[in-house]
Amino acid sequence: MSDEQPTRVSRRRVLGGAAALAGVSLAPGLFLVQARAAEADAGSGVRWGLLVDTTRCPGDCEACVDACQAENGWPAGEAVEEPQWIRKVVVGTGERDGAAQALPVMCQHCAEPPCVSVCPTHASFKRHDGIVLVDKHRCIGCRYCMMACPFHARSFVHAPVAERSPNHPRGKGTVEACTLCVHRIDRGEIPACVERCAQEGHAALIFGDLNDPDSEIRRALRERTATPLRGDLGLDPGVRYHGLS
Amino acid sequence: MRRKRRYAWVAAGTAAVVAATGLALALDGVPGGDTRPAAVADRPEPRGDACIHEDPERMRRVHMDRLHTHQEQGVREGRSDPDWDLQSCVGCHAAPEAQQAAGHGSSSDEVAFCASCHEYAAVELDCFQCHSTEPEGRP
Ligand code: SF4
Ligand code: SF4
């Protein structure tokens, strides 16, 4: 934080700064500029993910949804224009294919996120640790990303927000979705839904680093078969589901 | 064509002088009046003894750049520094309820500290359309 970055940096200043930083001069006027070390960014080499064990998720339980609302401060409501960061979706009718299953669906934190590809302002972006976010400072509310997401994971804030949560700034005219509780992850905690699910005694949600072979989620993935939703789309979601028939 | 361009330059120059004067008055006080800066005179006092970052004079001029730098690092790179996020500013500068009730300057809201200067200098304060103004907000 020691450097003062003006809000808009002219090209000349960027080039001047780059030249000042350069350690090696390759030729007069040609510098080898060292990019900032990658490990300075959040979780290089880490990919956060979730495993949803649908066999442990009771149809009538909404604890994860409640926990998310309380944590991130989005209002409850059934109307289509109300935000839904996470919802319980019922699949199957119970007639043909055994019991109906209810599973929580939130942003799947795709490795190949279409919401990022379509965003005209780079507001929709993927962090180095795989978390897909909306940078509301840049979002212009065009809602392309909502169209692009095959999971209906994103919501639009239609009205001014009266109760603003310190955990997650929300504002009219921007798009939002599950952040995997990025504010908690950056503090070394687990997402609110995972915590609440365990407190309720279901432990249907397992969180962890998909790139770490010794993590709890990788151990669970070795023991239980898990599939992504709409695997045919090839988006490589970070959220996987076990027990979907 | 050339004359039009000259008028545009004159207009832009005048606007710049007016804006600079306004800012100077807001920050440095009305000549001959109260020695304290005009926009600072009637403003809730922050909690604590001093800004944890830099001397207030300087923070008054650079806070927007500092916040912008932290915003990029915090949001996009996940390198959030709790001392530098907006919530830490709010922690000291949001007016406690008693002060809000007393009213300060033209604004009696939670962020009257920010608003007093911003209103004077006519610089829109957008942060708190989304960000919380809850001083005890940090979990
Ligand atoms: S689930 Fe939707 S919002 Fe989330 S990363 Fe994938 S496409 Fe984007
Ligand atoms: S609504 Fe916002 S995040 Fe989504 S595509 Fe448009 S600018 Fe990007």
Side-chain angles (χ1 to χ4, degrees), chain A residues 115 118-124 133-135 138-146 154 156 173-175:
Chain A
C115 58
V118 300
C119 179
T121 63
H122 295 253
S124 187
L133 295 174
V134 180
D135 180 352
R138 298 191 192 191
C139 176
I140 55 172
C142 69
R143 289 166 266 182
Y144 283 7
C145 56
M146 290 175 67
R154 289 197 165 176
F156 183 70
T174 59
V175 162

Side-chain angles (χ1 to χ4, degrees), chain A:
Chain A
M1 286 306 300
S2 60
D3 57 330
E4 261 157 47
Q5 284 188 6
T7 308
R8 280 176 200 81
V9 190
S10 75
R11 186 166 172 271
R12 186 186 299 258
R13 284 188 68 165
V14 170
L15 293 177
L21 278 177
V24 188
S25 165
L26 299 177
L30 184 58
F31 296 99
L32 178 65
V33 179
Q34 201 176 12
R36 193 182 52 231
E39 59 269 20
D41 283 4
S44 291
V46 173
R47 178 162 186 221
W48 298 117
L50 272 181
L51 172 63
V52 183
D53 186 342
T54 61
T55 61
R56 305 185 62 127
C57 179
D60 57 354
C61 177
E62 294 263 339
C64 53
V65 181
D66 297 342
C68 181
Q69 282 176 344
E71 180 72 25
N72 295 297
W74 50 277
E78 293 297 316
V80 67
E81 71 271 13
E82 295 288 350
Q84 276 188 328
W85 290 26
I86 176 171
R87 66 176 86 85
K88 287 293 288 286
V89 172
V90 180
V91 289
T93 57
E95 289 164 11
R96 212 156 42 97
D97 43 7
Q101 287 172 309
L103 47 129
V105 176
M106 69 296 277
C107 172
Q108 306 288 299
H109 298 281
C110 312
E112 305 287 344
C115 58
V116 172
S117 315
V118 300
C119 179
T121 63
H122 295 253
S124 187
F125 71 104
K126 189 175 70 165
R127 286 200 343 171
H128 286 274
D129 52 8
I131 302 178
V132 178
L133 295 174
V134 180
D135 180 352
K136 281 128 187 238
H137 304 102
R138 298 191 192 191
C139 176
I140 55 172
C142 69
R143 289 166 266 182
Y144 283 7
C145 56
M146 290 175 67
M147 294 290 136
C149 173
F151 306 103
H152 284 270
R154 289 197 165 176
S155 313
F156 183 70
V157 183
H158 288 263
V161 178
E163 293 285 318
R164 300 179 298 280
S165 163
N167 292 335
H168 187 90
R170 307 178 60 234
K172 179 183 169 187
T174 59
V175 162
E176 58 184 7
C178 157
T179 65
L180 218 51
C181 277
V182 68
H183 58 287
R184 292 169 63 104
I185 291 176
D186 284 345
R187 294 199 302 255
E189 297 166 25
I190 60 172
C193 55
V194 179
E195 189 177 89
R196 181 73 66 85
C197 185
Q199 282 165 0
E200 296 288 318
H202 305 306
L205 296 171
I206 298 164
F207 167 79
D209 177 7
L210 291 169
N211 286 347
D212 174 7
D214 299 322
S215 65
E216 188 190 353
I217 189 168
R218 280 286 293 275
R219 255 179 282 132
L221 282 167
R222 278 196 291 274
E223 287 156 14
R224 306 172 221 183
T225 50
T227 46
L229 296 181
R230 289 300 306 269
D232 56 318
L233 296 174
L235 305 178
D236 187 9
V239 183
R240 319 275 165 87
Y241 291 82
H242 166 73
L244 278 186
S245 49

